[in-house]
Amino acid sequence: MESQIHQIHQQMMNKEITCTQLVQDRLDLLKSNTHNTVNSLLDLKALELAANVDAKIESGQEIGLLEGIPFGIKDVYMVQGTLTTSSSELLKNYKSSYTATAIQKLLDAGAIPLVKENCDSFGHGSSSENTIFGAVKNAINPELVGGGSSGGSAVNVAKDYTVFSIGGDTGGSIRQPAGYNKVYGFKPTYGRISRYGIMAYASSTDCVGPIAKSIEDIRIVLNVMSGKDVKDQTTYQSKAISEEAVLNADQIKTIGYFKNFIESEAIDAQVKSDFLASLEKIKAKGIKVKELDFFESDTLVSTYYTLAMAETASNLSRLDGTNYGARIEGDNLKDTYSITRSENFSEETKRRIVGGNQVLSQGFSDEIYLKGLNLRDQIADNFEKDFQEVDIILSPVTPSTPPKIGDSLKDPLAMYLSDAYTVGFSLGQLPTLTVPQGTATGLQISAAKNNDELVLKFAHFLKDTI
């Protein structure tokens, strides 16, 4: 299978390139890039680790598959001793005192971190414009947004600044920017990878996931990061996915798609046409295609943002300048809290905190928040029934193409609605992969919980089908 990781590993073992040369070349690209993807470079540490890899190869030792492979990290992950800003004014000088479990597993495998990547502040956005480091520019057309919230991660992979990057997906924050920049982006089953050490946005849907240029590279990185973690009680022990398993999609007999997604007035005509053409190509391969009924996209967006805002209001209540972040003194303690949060949170973050506190407040929680929880259960039940009839659900990643930089900031509601086709799978906690085929922003493949392998199988099947 196509794989940058395998290719680079072989080049280093054959001494066609040195790890130091590889890392320095990527660092130079990151330093000179004009897409605003970099929050901070980890250059000194990266070059030190690269020298160690070169020394091992020179002495005739074998190196692991990920050893010496340069990667990027969305700037919401703790990496000990590095700045972890979450692209926010509040944490612009905050240094991590420990390392996130998922990142530590990659470090233990020998992968080399190059960069903390630009993103929407605290994951609050779908365009990577809500950041103190400047809007991330799309890899294909720099006048367009890079997508969000993992925009910097997707652009770095698309531009070959990193071999892979680790994003974070709450309601589509890996899948949508992957689609906007024509790369692969995977949100695994909730709990497959530990969330320990990621700055929490909405804890019930936050997922750690890889962005890469091939299915094989997604598989390799996914296997390394997966597994039970005593520091995250939502995690479970999962079976490794083999390369051979991904090559065989014979068990996939029927796929489904949500009719109301395609019949929605919000969908771009070309996205709709391309999606339907993709279905015809799949049918021609002998796979049955079934229409499915699902919740209206407006209901999905409302449910997701009700719950996500409530959870972020709770999670970000710890950030008041006392223990973390840039404190601004007021006349008294209450005033200090108020000024610190008002001045240091972005407008979008404040909008979500206020919305979250509103739906959790007395008189509103029963009417709004509890209804949101009930709808989430109904959505999960709906998925369970659907996966009794189909093996895979296919959908467009987004209803439309990337907007121009600046447009999303003028219309927050339009930004929320750009998540219409991704948030349902987040609420269902399902494994879902963006593939850069089928429509202008790709296709989204989803399977039942814990069927991450099946998603990768179908992605490989699509590679030669569409």
Side-chain angles (χ1 to χ4, degrees), residues 240-308:
I241 301 170
S242 70
E243 183 178 357
E244 294 72 25
V246 173
L247 298 176
N248 183 4
D250 290 347
Q251 71 195 88
I252 300 171
K253 307 295 184 186
T254 308
I255 71 159
Y257 73 97
F258 295 131
K259 182 173 67 172
N260 62 312
F261 279 17
I262 306 309
E263 294 178 351
S264 166
E265 292 180 5
I267 193 170
D268 179 90
Q270 191 62 52
V271 172
K272 177 178 179 178
S273 171
D274 290 346
F275 180 76
L276 293 174
S278 297
L279 292 181
E280 290 304 316
K281 291 176 183 177
I282 292 166
K283 282 182 189 176
K285 292 288 186 178
I287 290 180
K288 292 180 182 177
V289 175
K290 184 179 177 63
E291 284 185 350
L292 299 170
D293 290 321
F294 199 50
F295 294 80
E296 292 296 326
S297 54
D298 287 357
T299 303
L300 296 172
V301 171
S302 299
T303 303
Y304 168 74
Y305 276 103
T306 293
L307 300 179

Side-chain angles (χ1 to χ4, degrees), residues 26 50 75 81 147 155 176 192 204 221 252 296 346 388 426 440 452:
R26 302 289 174 126
D75 198 10
V155 172
Q176 184 249 44
R192 185 184 181 98
S204 66
V221 178
I252 300 171
E296 292 296 326
S346 70
Q388 290 171 9
S426 295
D452 303 58

Side-chain angles (χ1 to χ4, degrees), residues 44 145 264 297 304 402 432 437:
L44 295 178
V145 301
S264 166
S297 54
Y304 168 74
T432 311
Q437 298 164 268

